[in-house]
Amino acid sequence: MKKLLIYFLGASETVTGSKFYLHSEEIKILVDCGLFQGVKELRKQNWESLPVDASQMDYVLLTHGHLDHCGYLPLLVRQGFRGKILGTAPTLEIARIILEDSAKIQEEEAERANKEKYSKHDPALPLYTKQDVAFTLKFFEQVEEGEEISLSDHCSVTFLYNGHIIGSTYLDMDLYGKRFVFSGDVGRQNDELLNPPKQPEWADYLFVESTYGDRDHPEENVGQILMELVKETLHKKGILIIPSFAVERLQSLMYQLWKLYKKNKIPNIPIFVDSPMGNNVLEVFKAFPSWHKLTPEEYRNMYNHINIVSSYAETWETIDDPRSKIVIAGSGMVTGGRVLTYIKQLADLDSTSILLVGFQAEETRGRKLLEGATELKIYGKYVPIKAKVHHLESLSAHADQSELLRWMGSIKNVPEKVFLVHGEKSAMEAYKEKIQQKLGWHCHIPKMHEVVEVIL
């Protein structure tokens, strides 16, 4: 008999900060290593060391490259981690881009806070630096999708395609003859850019995301909604600001708008993409064509249709440009990035529209806009919001309740334990009931820092 301890160090009764630590005598594995976003009490945990010894860990396994799944890696390395960080080639490339961008933003915001004296901390410091990221990248090691990898005598893992974003996978791990399945973030069945997720066939211990565990995405005609917003923007001689995640969502929006233009559904309104990270991710799509549906020709035509903003000086030129236009800028939950400059300068105008796309975590600026906020705090000052706010949920990169149930439905056995993670508590509770009703499986919702003992 072997004892395994499972530590839930993030994405427990909340959506962000994914970290699941498996501790056995033979091997010690961290599945994902994400930053907390949104709620201040959670964000404060980003500054704290983990309650486990990072120097003991043999591996970090990355399901995909989003910040809430990889953004804590430089801090883990700072705490003594010297093992291997495994992920698919596109995941490691996305993680590199996101970590470098995250460090750059943190350094810039610390510098701005010190200059304008709006931080409580003196001096304000970045969470980590570009130098920290450069050192972290030395531990990256690429794996092939679908190939079983031996991690120790009694442990192997396979990374399997699950949509969501380019490079994204779920993990199928064999540990002492038991099957541990970590869903990561499950993608959509009918995604414009990505193929449907592969599905697990067996799971003794299942860790499944529940971001949209309480609901299905609405049946929205995305093209029609975008057409109407473009028409309204032109009529008001204004600007349509679309805060967007740099990975997959931004490319999906570009594709949707290019497709509408190609079919003469919208006029040739200038479209600006202002996301250095998003621009880099476009190169990942170009480099890994087998991971998405776009042909090289479609990619090239779409890219040529968009105005790429490459410098902060060009951000201001775009703001000062008097033409009606669409600006897609990071970040998707309005937590940082170039979109803050556009909102700070233009959201107090009636002619401005803001389109939120996908999930907005608790206490993010995106969620506040969604809930009707009339002002937002940006760089220490309150900005009035007169812009009309719209929301498109069906462009989410996360599977909804029905799609999650379908993904799990291929499992042939009854798992010994099902852990619901990566969701707000209300979504998890609703999903727990649905799983019990549909599959007859009992689920557990772990609390933050809960430790579960498993005898193998």
Side-chain angles (χ1 to χ4, degrees):
M1 290 194 346
K2 303 290 182 184
K3 186 170 78 170
L4 173 72
L5 297 177
I6 305 170
Y7 293 77
F8 293 87
L9 303 176
S12 304
E13 296 189 329
T14 187
V15 173
T16 63
S18 285
K19 298 180 206 74
F20 310 110
Y21 181 43
L22 308 185
H23 181 285
S24 71
E25 192 177 318
E26 179 176 312
I27 192 165
K28 294 153 187 69
I29 299 167
L30 185 66
V31 174
D32 284 333
C33 188
L35 274 188
F36 290 106
Q37 296 167 285
V39 181
K40 188 177 180 181
E41 286 308 306
L42 287 174
R43 283 188 284 114
K44 280 162 69 175
Q45 289 192 38
N46 292 331
W47 294 87
E48 298 169 10
S49 293
L50 294 181
V52 293
D53 186 352
S55 68
Q56 281 192 9
M57 295 177 187
D58 300 299
Y59 294 96
V60 175
L61 309 180
L62 292 182
T63 61
H64 64 288
H66 270 151
L67 191 68
D68 63 326
H69 291 257
C70 75
Y72 193 84
L73 282 171
L75 299 166
L76 190 77
V77 170
R78 194 187 287 170
Q79 290 165 42
F81 175 80
R82 294 296 181 269
K84 293 178 178 178
I85 299 167
L86 305 184
T88 65
T91 285
L92 296 185
E93 190 57 18
I94 295 291
R96 178 191 68 78
I97 291 164
I98 280 184
L99 288 172
E100 287 176 350
D101 186 76
S102 174
K104 181 172 178 284
I105 287 171
Q106 288 171 53
E107 287 181 342
E108 287 172 354
E109 289 189 354
E111 187 180 346
R112 185 196 292 263
N114 290 323
K115 187 178 174 183
E116 298 180 13
K117 307 286 185 195
Y118 61 76
S119 173
K120 293 175 186 173
H121 305 284
D122 188 17
L125 297 171
L127 190 57
Y128 49 79
T129 65
K130 290 183 284 236
Q131 193 175 356
D132 293 327
V133 170
F135 185 53
T136 301
L137 298 180
K138 294 179 187 298
F139 302 100
F140 278 19
E141 193 168 299
Q142 176 185 327
V143 300
E144 293 297 320
E145 189 272 338
E147 183 182 315
E148 187 176 5
I149 299 138
S150 176
L151 301 181
S152 69
D153 289 344
H154 300 96
C155 182
S156 63
V157 67
T158 308
F159 291 68
L160 290 154
Y161 188 99
N162 74 340
H164 184 59
I165 66 170
I166 190 168
S168 180
T169 56
Y170 72 90
L171 304 179
D172 190 330
M173 184 189 301
D174 189 295
L175 182 58
Y176 295 112
K178 293 288 187 179
R179 194 63 59 88
F180 290 74
V181 173
F182 295 84
S183 74
D185 288 355
V186 181
R188 309 294 308 280
Q189 279 296 317
N190 299 300
D191 191 280
E192 289 276 6
L193 297 181
L194 303 177
N195 294 313
K198 291 182 179 178
Q199 296 172 264
E201 295 184 357
W202 194 277
D204 296 303
Y205 297 90
L206 176 64
F207 301 73
V208 64
E209 71 124 321
S210 42
T211 314
Y212 286 97
D214 57 344
R215 61 196 185 276
D216 284 345
H217 295 309
E219 290 290 328
E220 296 172 315
N221 186 330
V222 174
Q224 188 63 39
I225 291 167
L226 289 173
M227 282 163 55
E228 287 169 5
L229 283 171
V230 168
K231 185 179 174 183
E232 183 184 314
T233 301
L234 290 166
H235 176 71
K236 293 196 294 189
K237 297 183 173 64
I239 178 172
L240 172 59
I241 301 170
I242 310 180
S244 177
F245 299 101
V247 191
E248 211 269 332
R249 197 74 46 80
L250 184 144
Q251 293 77 31
S252 183
L253 283 162
M254 286 174 61
Y255 181 69
Q256 293 273 359
L257 290 164
W258 169 70
K259 204 167 62 168
L260 289 172
Y261 168 71
K262 194 176 68 164
K263 292 178 179 176
N264 294 316
K265 297 286 182 71
I266 60 171
N268 193 15
I269 183 172
I271 302 169
F272 294 87
V273 168
D274 193 343
S275 169
M277 182 165 49
N279 300 344
N280 291 332
V281 172
L282 280 169
E283 292 301 312
V284 181
F285 270 74
K286 187 177 179 182
F288 297 100
S290 66
W291 279 85
H292 59 82
K293 295 178 182 177
L294 284 183
T295 66
E297 186 185 14
E298 283 176 319
Y299 172 88
R300 189 168 57 252
N301 291 340
M302 177 183 82
Y303 187 87
N304 290 338
H305 181 63
I306 306 291
N307 300 287
I308 302 292
V309 177
S310 54
S311 69
Y312 198 49
E314 287 180 23
T315 297
W316 286 98
E317 288 171 19
T318 307
I319 288 169
D320 293 337
D321 185 332
R323 296 177 295 171
S324 295
K325 55 192 168 286
I326 299 170
V327 171
I328 307 170
S331 66
M333 297 186 198
V334 201
T335 52
R338 298 271 180 92
V339 77
L340 293 181
T341 304
Y342 289 95
I343 289 176
K344 187 168 184 276
Q345 297 300 315
L346 299 165
D348 64 338
L349 301 174
D350 294 327
S351 58
T352 297
S353 296
I354 299 171
L355 174 62
L356 298 169
V357 181
F359 188 78
Q360 305 295 318
E362 286 181 294
E363 290 193 26
T364 58
R365 292 186 187 92
R367 175 69 78 92
K368 288 173 183 173
L369 283 170
L370 206 55
E371 292 170 349
T374 55
E375 59 180 14
L376 284 184
K377 192 176 184 181
I378 298 175
Y379 302 136
K381 295 176 182 173
Y382 283 94
V383 176
I385 305 295
K386 292 181 184 172
K388 193 172 178 183
V389 177
H390 306 265
H391 188 213
L392 249 182
E393 231 179 299
S394 60
L395 266 187
S396 171
H398 284 270
D400 61 20
Q401 187 190 78
S402 294
E403 289 168 323
L404 284 171
L405 285 167
R406 176 176 173 170
W407 183 80
M408 293 163 60
S410 62
I411 294 173
K412 294 179 172 65
N413 66 313
V414 176
E416 293 177 38
K417 279 191 182 292
V418 178
F419 299 104
L420 299 188
V421 296
H422 201 288
E424 291 178 2
K425 195 173 178 182
S426 58
M428 289 179 173
E429 294 286 1
Y431 194 41
K432 180 180 178 179
E433 281 186 36
K434 199 73 176 177
I435 292 170
Q436 169 68 37
Q437 176 194 331
K438 289 275 186 183
L439 301 173
W441 299 353
H442 293 283
C443 301
H444 177 60
I445 300 174
K447 297 187 183 302
M448 190 74 73
H449 293 171
E450 184 176 332
V451 183
V452 173
E453 183 178 294
V454 173
I455 303 299
L456 301 172

